[in-house]
PDB file of all heavy atoms in Angstrom:
ATOM      1  N   GLU A 395      17.269  25.111 -46.315  1.00  0.00           N
ATOM      2  CA  GLU A 395      15.852  24.852 -46.592  1.00  0.00           C
ATOM      3  C   GLU A 395      15.107  24.583 -45.284  1.00  0.00           C
ATOM      4  O   GLU A 395      15.522  23.752 -44.472  1.00  0.00           O
ATOM      5  CB  GLU A 395      15.722  23.653 -47.521  1.00  0.00           C
ATOM      6  CG  GLU A 395      14.278  23.371 -47.920  1.00  0.00           C
ATOM      7  CD  GLU A 395      14.173  22.196 -48.876  1.00  0.00           C
ATOM      8  OE1 GLU A 395      15.233  21.656 -49.248  1.00  0.00           O
ATOM      9  OE2 GLU A 395      13.045  21.826 -49.216  1.00  0.00           O
ATOM     10  N   VAL A 396      14.030  25.316 -45.076  1.00  0.00           N
ATOM     11  CA  VAL A 396      13.205  25.189 -43.874  1.00  0.00           C
ATOM     12  C   VAL A 396      11.913  24.479 -44.245  1.00  0.00           C
ATOM     13  O   VAL A 396      11.243  24.856 -45.218  1.00  0.00           O
ATOM     14  CB  VAL A 396      12.896  26.563 -43.241  1.00  0.00           C
ATOM     15  CG1 VAL A 396      12.035  26.397 -41.998  1.00  0.00           C
ATOM     16  CG2 VAL A 396      14.186  27.274 -42.892  1.00  0.00           C
ATOM     17  N   SER A 397      11.561  23.465 -43.488  1.00  0.00           N
ATOM     18  CA  SER A 397      10.370  22.680 -43.785  1.00  0.00           C
ATOM     19  C   SER A 397       9.114  23.510 -43.567  1.00  0.00           C
ATOM     20  O   SER A 397       9.027  24.325 -42.647  1.00  0.00           O
ATOM     21  CB  SER A 397      10.332  21.438 -42.889  1.00  0.00           C
ATOM     22  OG  SER A 397       9.095  20.776 -42.997  1.00  0.00           O
ATOM     23  N   ALA A 398       8.129  23.308 -44.428  1.00  0.00           N
ATOM     24  CA  ALA A 398       6.839  23.984 -44.262  1.00  0.00           C
ATOM     25  C   ALA A 398       6.136  23.527 -42.992  1.00  0.00           C
ATOM     26  O   ALA A 398       5.386  24.287 -42.356  1.00  0.00           O
ATOM     27  CB  ALA A 398       5.956  23.735 -45.479  1.00  0.00           C
ATOM     28  N   LEU A 399       6.362  22.271 -42.581  1.00  0.00           N
ATOM     29  CA  LEU A 399       5.758  21.763 -41.356  1.00  0.00           C
ATOM     30  C   LEU A 399       6.321  22.495 -40.132  1.00  0.00           C
ATOM     31  O   LEU A 399       5.602  22.736 -39.167  1.00  0.00           O
ATOM     32  CB  LEU A 399       6.011  20.252 -41.228  1.00  0.00           C
ATOM     33  CG  LEU A 399       5.373  19.545 -40.025  1.00  0.00           C
ATOM     34  CD1 LEU A 399       3.854  19.671 -40.092  1.00  0.00           C
ATOM     35  CD2 LEU A 399       5.790  18.094 -39.977  1.00  0.00           C
ATOM     36  N   LEU A 400       7.596  22.872 -40.172  1.00  0.00           N
ATOM     37  CA  LEU A 400       8.174  23.636 -39.072  1.00  0.00           C
ATOM     38  C   LEU A 400       7.532  25.007 -38.972  1.00  0.00           C
ATOM     39  O   LEU A 400       7.283  25.524 -37.878  1.00  0.00           O
ATOM     40  CB  LEU A 400       9.691  23.757 -39.278  1.00  0.00           C
ATOM     41  CG  LEU A 400      10.450  24.591 -38.248  1.00  0.00           C
ATOM     42  CD1 LEU A 400      10.345  23.950 -36.880  1.00  0.00           C
ATOM     43  CD2 LEU A 400      11.902  24.750 -38.654  1.00  0.00           C
ATOM     44  N   ARG A 401       7.238  25.605 -40.121  1.00  0.00           N
ATOM     45  CA  ARG A 401       6.619  26.928 -40.113  1.00  0.00           C
ATOM     46  C   ARG A 401       5.185  26.879 -39.603  1.00  0.00           C
ATOM     47  O   ARG A 401       4.714  27.805 -38.936  1.00  0.00           O
ATOM     48  CB  ARG A 401       6.662  27.512 -41.531  1.00  0.00           C
ATOM     49  CG  ARG A 401       6.239  28.972 -41.598  1.00  0.00           C
ATOM     50  CD  ARG A 401       6.286  29.475 -43.036  1.00  0.00           C
ATOM     51  NE  ARG A 401       7.612  29.303 -43.631  1.00  0.00           N
ATOM     52  CZ  ARG A 401       7.873  28.444 -44.602  1.00  0.00           C
ATOM     53  NH1 ARG A 401       6.901  27.678 -45.090  1.00  0.00           N
ATOM     54  NH2 ARG A 401       9.086  28.329 -45.096  1.00  0.00           N
ATOM     55  N   SER A 402       4.458  25.789 -39.896  1.00  0.00           N
ATOM     56  CA  SER A 402       3.045  25.723 -39.516  1.00  0.00           C
ATOM     57  C   SER A 402       2.812  25.041 -38.168  1.00  0.00           C
ATOM     58  O   SER A 402       1.927  25.459 -37.410  1.00  0.00           O
ATOM     59  CB  SER A 402       2.258  24.968 -40.605  1.00  0.00           C
ATOM     60  OG  SER A 402       2.768  23.642 -40.745  1.00  0.00           O
ATOM     61  N   ALA A 403       3.597  24.030 -37.860  1.00  0.00           N
ATOM     62  CA  ALA A 403       3.346  23.246 -36.642  1.00  0.00           C
ATOM     63  C   ALA A 403       4.475  23.320 -35.633  1.00  0.00           C
ATOM     64  O   ALA A 403       4.339  22.815 -34.523  1.00  0.00           O
ATOM     65  CB  ALA A 403       3.095  21.770 -37.006  1.00  0.00           C
ATOM     66  N   GLY A 404       5.597  23.928 -35.995  1.00  0.00           N
ATOM     67  CA  GLY A 404       6.686  24.064 -35.041  1.00  0.00           C
ATOM     68  C   GLY A 404       7.535  22.829 -34.886  1.00  0.00           C
ATOM     69  O   GLY A 404       8.299  22.722 -33.927  1.00  0.00           O
ATOM     70  N   ARG A 405       7.455  21.887 -35.812  1.00  0.00           N
ATOM     71  CA  ARG A 405       8.283  20.692 -35.750  1.00  0.00           C
ATOM     72  C   ARG A 405       8.635  20.263 -37.166  1.00  0.00           C
ATOM     73  O   ARG A 405       7.985  20.671 -38.139  1.00  0.00           O
ATOM     74  CB  ARG A 405       7.549  19.551 -35.037  1.00  0.00           C
ATOM     75  CG  ARG A 405       6.203  19.196 -35.624  1.00  0.00           C
ATOM     76  CD  ARG A 405       5.453  18.188 -34.746  1.00  0.00           C
ATOM     77  NE  ARG A 405       4.130  17.902 -35.274  1.00  0.00           N
ATOM     78  CZ  ARG A 405       3.859  16.954 -36.175  1.00  0.00           C
ATOM     79  NH1 ARG A 405       4.853  16.205 -36.652  1.00  0.00           N
ATOM     80  NH2 ARG A 405       2.638  16.750 -36.611  1.00  0.00           N
ATOM     81  N   THR A 406       9.686  19.478 -37.286  1.00  0.00           N
ATOM     82  CA  THR A 406      10.186  19.055 -38.588  1.00  0.00           C
ATOM     83  C   THR A 406       9.811  17.609 -38.851  1.00  0.00           C
ATOM     84  O   THR A 406       9.465  16.854 -37.946  1.00  0.00           O
ATOM     85  CB  THR A 406      11.716  19.198 -38.636  1.00  0.00           C
ATOM     86  OG1 THR A 406      12.281  18.402 -37.596  1.00  0.00           O
ATOM     87  CG2 THR A 406      12.132  20.652 -38.416  1.00  0.00           C
ATOM     88  N   GLU A 407       9.892  17.248 -40.136  1.00  0.00           N
ATOM     89  CA  GLU A 407       9.631  15.862 -40.492  1.00  0.00           C
ATOM     90  C   GLU A 407      10.795  14.993 -40.044  1.00  0.00           C
ATOM     91  O   GLU A 407      11.951  15.438 -39.995  1.00  0.00           O
ATOM     92  CB  GLU A 407       9.433  15.692 -42.006  1.00  0.00           C
ATOM     93  CG  GLU A 407       8.284  16.509 -42.575  1.00  0.00           C
ATOM     94  CD  GLU A 407       8.774  17.841 -43.112  1.00  0.00           C
ATOM     95  OE1 GLU A 407       9.858  18.251 -42.679  1.00  0.00           O
ATOM     96  OE2 GLU A 407       8.074  18.450 -43.920  1.00  0.00           O
TER      97      GLU A 407
END
Side-chain angles (χ1 to χ4, degrees):
E395 183 178 357
V396 180
S397 171
L399 183 61
L400 177 63
R401 189 181 303 111
S402 60
R405 55 188 177 88
T406 59
E407 301 94 339

